[in-house]
Amino acid sequence: QSHLVQSGGGLVQPGGSLKLSCTTSGFALDSYTITWFRQVPGEEREGVSCISRTNEITHYMDPVKGRFTMSRDNAKNTVYLQMDSLRPEDTGVYYCAAERVWVCLRDGNEYTYWGQGTQVTVSS
């Protein structure tokens, strides 16, 4: 069964860094656009950043611009979210999602495959 497997995350102090990974299982990454979403209790799931099939990167959240970077390694079927200069407001459960489209889609309902989610906590 096709799905996404996430790794990374955890507890980090403000100003620190984390790197999240999202690996496809059962299908090749190179035909898919990947978006990272964040879920905070009591709030709607929100798109964070996206990397398209053509490696165009879109950051949906203004506060992450200049701090978060996405990359993909199609040979490893893995997408990465490098998060630097982390802030307490970056805290949440991060999910990766994949869809076989050429462009980034902001609406999570458009995505077929989802990772299991990983907790990111930024706290001193």
Side-chain angles (χ1 to χ4, degrees):
Q1 187 174 3
S2 299
H3 59 283
L4 301 174
V5 179
Q6 295 181 221
S7 61
L11 173 63
V12 65
Q13 292 187 343
S17 297
L18 284 173
K19 188 173 186 178
L20 306 184
S21 300
C22 174
T23 302
T24 64
S25 178
F27 61 98
L29 174 67
D30 59 1
S31 297
Y32 286 78
T33 285
I34 306 292
T35 292
W36 287 95
F37 291 86
R38 185 171 74 204
Q39 180 79 58
V40 178
E43 298 182 11
E44 291 188 2
R45 180 181 58 199
E46 190 173 7
V48 178
S49 301
C50 172
I51 186 165
S52 72
R53 285 176 66 173
T54 55
N55 288 328
E56 290 188 32
I57 296 172
T58 301
H59 296 295
Y60 294 120
M61 294 181 172
D62 285 342
V64 309
K65 293 178 181 178
R67 299 190 297 121
F68 288 15
T69 302
M70 282 192 73
S71 60
R72 63 193 298 156
D73 185 339
N74 288 336
K76 295 182 179 180
N77 287 317
T78 300
V79 166
Y80 305 97
L81 179 66
Q82 176 68 45
M83 304 185 292
D84 298 320
S85 302
L86 282 162
R87 306 168 182 172
E89 53 265 38
D90 296 321
T91 295
V93 179
Y94 285 72
Y95 297 89
C96 61
E99 186 58 37
R100 192 182 174 99
V101 291
W102 287 101
V103 299
C104 285
L105 305 172
R106 192 165 189 169
D107 185 351
N109 294 320
E110 301 284 351
Y111 288 84
T112 300
Y113 301 108
W114 287 83
Q116 78 275 21
T118 186
Q119 178 70 44
V120 171
T121 302
V122 185
S123 175
S124 56

